[in-house]
Amino acid sequence: MSPPSLPEGERVGPRAAATERVYRLEELARLLQAQLAGPGELEIRGVGGVDDVREGEITLAASGKYLGKAEESPAAAVILARGLNSRKPALISDNPKAAFGIALGLFEDREQPPEGVHPTAVVAKSATLGQGVAVGPYCVIGEDVVLEGKVAVHAHCVIGRRCRVGADTILFPRVTLYEGAVIGARCRIHSGAVIGADGFGYAAAQGRLLRIPQVGSVVIGDEVEIGANACIDRATTGATRVGNGTKIDNLVQVGHNVTIGRNCIICGQVGLAGSVTIGDGVTLAGQAGVADHLSIGEGATIGGGSGVMHDLPGGHAYSGLPAQPHRQHLRLLSALRRLPDLMDELRGRGGRNSNSG
Amino acid sequence: MSPPSLPEGERVGPRAAATERVYRLEELARLLQAQLAGPGELEIRGVGGVDDVREGEITLAASGKYLGKAEESPAAAVILARGLNSRKPALISDNPKAAFGIALGLFEDREQPPEGVHPTAVVAKSATLGQGVAVGPYCVIGEDVVLEGKVAVHAHCVIGRRCRVGADTILFPRVTLYEGAVIGARCRIHSGAVIGADGFGYAAAQGRLLRIPQVGSVVIGDEVEIGANACIDRATTGATRVGNGTKIDNLVQVGHNVTIGRNCIICGQVGLAGSVTIGDGVTLAGQAGVADHLSIGEGATIGGGSGVMHDLPGGHAYSGLPAQPHRQHLRLLSALRRLPDLMDELRGRGGRNSNSG
Amino acid sequence: MSPPSLPEGERVGPRAAATERVYRLEELARLLQAQLAGPGELEIRGVGGVDDVREGEITLAASGKYLGKAEESPAAAVILARGLNSRKPALISDNPKAAFGIALGLFEDREQPPEGVHPTAVVAKSATLGQGVAVGPYCVIGEDVVLEGKVAVHAHCVIGRRCRVGADTILFPRVTLYEGAVIGARCRIHSGAVIGADGFGYAAAQGRLLRIPQVGSVVIGDEVEIGANACIDRATTGATRVGNGTKIDNLVQVGHNVTIGRNCIICGQVGLAGSVTIGDGVTLAGQAGVADHLSIGEGATIGGGSGVMHDLPGGHAYSGLPAQPHRQHLRLLSALRRLPDLMDELRGRGGRNSNSG
């Protein structure tokens, strides 16, 4: 039978990846380490944003900007930034966004392969699987692979020989780990990600491009997230490294021999060329690029679409193409807004206006 | 046996994805809603561009620019924009590009999995498959999935639990739908696309990055095309939405909670950050980027490589980094072409030229 | 059992993709076509970069810049650019980078599927497999496919009907070839690459976007490398072509009907829109983009992040957005560094500073 096509508006039923659990507001206060401002016995059945929260759910007003929407929403309660007041029952938090994240986690119910190895998976005899490991349909796991306890490998992942995956790490469907990749504990690697493909290295010889074999590895720390279809290349020799706690978004390119520090945020479609070094706590906004062999210091922030063409010291914000200190870039943008009028004025004054373009 | 390697020039035989059907020119005129200018009984055996058309085929001259090549080509006939004249038998059309598309469709013969479920596919008992559904080798289809009538799922697709795919939609090989994704009817989703991976959201807490669980969904309308290795993330809560008729090219990144309207054209490697809103009929050219939470109005056009840093009203063209009205950007580019000479001239005049860079 | 998590520092054991072979220095001199400067009988057990080379291995000092590190390293010997001198046993080369590549190749030991067809692979009866072909688990190979001698197809590749793959080519895991794709000999196509997906072509008709069927093909030459998750679209009609010896990095987008010449270097995340023509020996640095229907002449070099908006003659370097001759772009950047001060000075002088932004 062919079920009728649903009108677009009705196409989302219950949250796609959430349960029907119920928590009392006082329980949530404790779990979110928030201050209870309302009836502790109030039952909360889910979590929603101010635009999509439903009756019986709790929502978020992380700043006054969202308070009005939260008040008008059907939410049963609201997570409030300290200093805000609501007519609704509330949980007051010093870190409302984190509290919202904890609340979402309480209701999250993500699809996981069941513990054990699916009969269709091809697992080498020499592979070592820790307790509670789950391997989904059609996975291929090579010689001498080690999967530590509770690793979850979704359908269609391919793990090359001698890879090692740390405890509680999740590989979503269709992840490739080339041979020898080392992944830490509690990582999440999304569908289509490719870890350990060859670095892009060639030498010109006799009018041809001679491949430089890439015999190094990739070493990913703990609690790293790697986005869908992201690529992290193996090193020529040595290792390409990603530090603990770093989060990498979809379609990011990390070249061979790159070193990324801890707790960095690498947004969608960022590109890091070969041998780049990124310090701890660096943020690279979407589509930013860094040329090969450059360094970005600890805590630096690089604006979206920026192109880093020189080493950048840590602790500051940079933007532009080439990237420069953000305030300097803003000053340039302001000058550029006035430039066309200046040019016309000078031309009017009989100023030269030869065209070098 | 090892067949001999072919010389590069001979490596394309018959059109890779076309049949050997034959149509009479008068039939084509009717099917393409074009005006017949030539012998109706002329047999047409295929369709080709002006550079690759073969004897017995029909080609296209959508403007005078291509008429010469069409005339010199071995084509048996030509689809002409009204107002052009050809020595060859012709089909005169008010929308020659659309007529060319219809003609190509008549000869198109794309590989599809045969109706039914391949014995190697793993399909949950609770999944509902409509009439005429085709599921290829090694597909994995989760609990409570609904595939409406005539859905074609090519080899190696992974469809998470509770996904719903509308009638006549094609999933090419190696597509991942995370749990709960809703795809409309008559869509085409290309190989490697990932729909419903986690949005990229974190909260800083105790010097670490706390994951914000992404429990929302993705809702794709009807007649949407999604390119190879494109990524469309699930929403934190609520849904990431793509409207009917929108076309998304390869390697595009669509962040969580984005809303894209109807009949938009999103070209290769475009990136839309979280919570962006794109109106109906918007075009984003290749490698353009839009920062988070911004809106682009109905019918706007964004130039290639542009970076949208502010909300943009609909109905106009924009370009540049940051994106500004296109005419204004052209005026800036013209001023920039003259700027180096001006600077030298001012220096010559003894103008200050301190360097703030 | 659950093996203990290793401290990050210990996470790389022996080179992830290298053997334990041993060569005498005099053998290496012969194989690398380098001049022996040291004891010929010295045994070399591996190859490493100056930062990661180990005892018993040979390293590289391609220029004086790296000589100090090489000297201080535990390396047993060093590949030296002619003109440099080392206290260590050395191999002196006129092309030290190429010599280093040859040395790496001697020790490289990459995982390959064993010769023959894995029992889980689904291979059409009409497919032709040459001598020594290796097909890994869960591969799907369509009707009338030809795999020439010694082609290696890793796990989970999907090869559509009528594809042809030249001798000694390697398809790494999870590669998709759409129907009719033609791949040359000795190519390397990395995991997640998609060759032959539909070009992105539509015609506006009655307020909708009508798909232009893509019935053409893709033709890849010999010794081409294609990176992870790269996309090369099939042509509308005719063929999208990549010339012999061209190297394409990860996440590159090649649109329909593009022609790329021989021995080009196309770096990560580059985007080529439809019908672009790239001459032989062109280099496009990371994240560069080229607008549709443009041509770039033989031997041109395009800087990272540049946007090509006009045809560019060969033999020169270009950069910027829009791309212009590199020297001209540097002159513009230098003028831009001085522009904000000039604007302030003019304002001080009472110059107009109306804001057109």
Side-chain angles (χ1 to χ4, degrees), chain A residues 263-267 278 281-285 299-303:
Chain A
N263 301 318
C264 294
I265 296 178
I266 316 287
C267 297
I278 305 289
V282 168
T283 296
L284 286 138
T301 300
I302 312 299

Side-chain angles (χ1 to χ4, degrees), chain B residues 190-214:
Chain B
H190 281 284
S191 188
V194 178
I195 315 294
D198 289 8
F200 194 65
Y202 304 91
Q206 301 106 41
R208 291 172 53 249
L209 294 167
L210 179 75
R211 181 174 74 91
I212 306 292
Q214 306 287 307

Side-chain angles (χ1 to χ4, degrees), chain B residues 331-349:
Chain B
R331 193 164 167 251
L332 173 60
L333 292 180
S334 141
L336 288 173
R337 277 192 298 274
R338 292 178 277 139
L339 181 64
D341 286 351
L342 170 68
M343 284 295 187
D344 291 354
E345 184 193 351
L346 290 172
R347 176 188 276 160
R349 279 215 219 112

Side-chain angles (χ1 to χ4, degrees), chain A:
Chain A
M1 59 98 250
S2 180
S5 189
L6 297 176
E8 198 170 319
E10 299 174 23
R11 278 192 172 144
V12 185
R15 309 231 177 264
T19 58
E20 306 297 328
R21 297 196 193 95
V22 175
Y23 291 84
R24 291 197 315 288
L25 195 60
E26 63 198 358
E27 292 178 276
L28 290 182
R30 195 180 70 256
L31 294 162
L32 277 52
Q33 298 165 45
Q35 179 186 326
L36 178 63
E41 69 285 356
L42 179 66
E43 289 190 336
I44 301 299
R45 302 175 176 287
V47 183
V50 288
D51 294 323
D52 54 64
V53 65
R54 301 159 198 219
E55 287 192 6
E57 297 182 336
I58 191 166
T59 190
L60 171 67
S63 73
K65 181 178 166 197
Y66 297 100
L67 186 55
K69 274 189 163 184
E71 293 289 81
E72 295 155 17
S73 77
V78 56
I79 298 167
L80 278 183
R82 191 174 299 284
L84 297 181
N85 298 302
S86 170
R87 276 180 273 98
K88 292 181 186 285
L91 298 178
I92 296 163
S93 169
D94 298 319
N95 189 342
K97 194 175 172 192
F100 185 67
I102 295 166
L104 283 166
L106 295 174
F107 291 93
E108 187 180 30
D109 173 31
R110 293 300 292 272
E111 182 172 25
Q112 293 294 348
E115 182 173 329
V117 176
H118 193 280
T120 61
V122 174
V123 181
K125 283 201 173 50
S126 58
T128 303
L129 274 55
Q131 279 183 8
V133 164
V135 176
Y138 300 123
C139 290
V140 177
I141 297 180
E143 298 290 344
D144 303 317
V145 165
V146 176
L147 304 181
E148 297 180 357
K150 293 208 162 70
V151 165
V153 183
H154 284 250
H156 284 259
C157 289
V158 180
I159 302 181
R161 65 181 179 186
R162 297 191 215 133
C163 287
R164 185 181 185 100
V165 180
D168 300 302
T169 283
I170 301 171
L171 273 56
F172 287 94
R174 298 203 299 103
V175 166
T176 300
L177 306 183
Y178 277 58
E179 63 195 282
V182 177
I183 312 294
R186 300 177 302 285
C187 294
R188 298 162 55 85
I189 305 185
H190 281 284
S191 188
V194 178
I195 314 294
D198 289 8
F200 194 65
Y202 304 91
Q206 300 105 42
R208 292 174 51 250
L209 295 167
L210 179 75
R211 182 174 73 93
I212 306 292
Q214 305 288 307
V215 304
S217 64
V218 175
V219 180
I220 308 290
D222 299 329
E223 292 174 13
V224 171
E225 187 143 2
I226 297 174
N229 289 338
C231 299
I232 302 181
D233 280 353
R234 72 190 314 109
T236 309
T237 63
T240 303
R241 295 181 179 275
V242 177
N244 295 341
T246 284
K247 314 302 182 185
I248 295 174
D249 199 0
N250 300 342
L251 294 165
V252 165
Q253 156 70 352
V254 177
H256 58 109
N257 295 85
V258 165
T259 298
I260 300 176
R262 299 172 180 235
N263 301 318
C264 294
I265 296 178
I266 316 287
C267 297
Q269 298 175 317
V270 162
L272 307 179
S275 301
V276 161
T277 302
I278 305 289
D280 294 344
V282 168
T283 296
L284 286 138
Q287 298 185 328
V290 183
D292 58 290
H293 290 84
L294 297 181
S295 295
I296 298 180
E298 186 172 339
T301 300
I302 312 299
S306 302
V308 177
M309 305 294 195
H310 311 91
D311 290 341
L312 297 178
H316 300 93
Y318 302 88
S319 53
L321 186 57
Q324 58 182 320
H326 187 56
R327 297 175 138 287
Q328 206 166 297
H329 184 234
L330 292 179
R331 194 164 166 251
L332 172 61
L333 291 180
S334 141
L336 288 174
R337 277 192 297 273
R338 292 177 276 140
L339 181 65
D341 287 350
L342 171 68
M343 284 295 187
D344 292 352
E345 184 192 353
L346 291 172
R347 176 188 275 159
R349 276 214 220 116
R352 266 184 68 231
N353 52 65
S354 71
N355 186 332
S356 65

Side-chain angles (χ1 to χ4, degrees), chain A residues 120 138 161 198 331 341, chain C residues 109-110 138 156 188 341 354:
Chain A
T120 61
Y138 300 123
R161 65 181 179 186
D198 289 8
R331 194 164 166 251
D341 287 350
Chain C
D109 173 30
R110 294 299 292 273
Y138 300 123
H156 284 260
R188 298 163 56 85
D341 286 350
S354 70

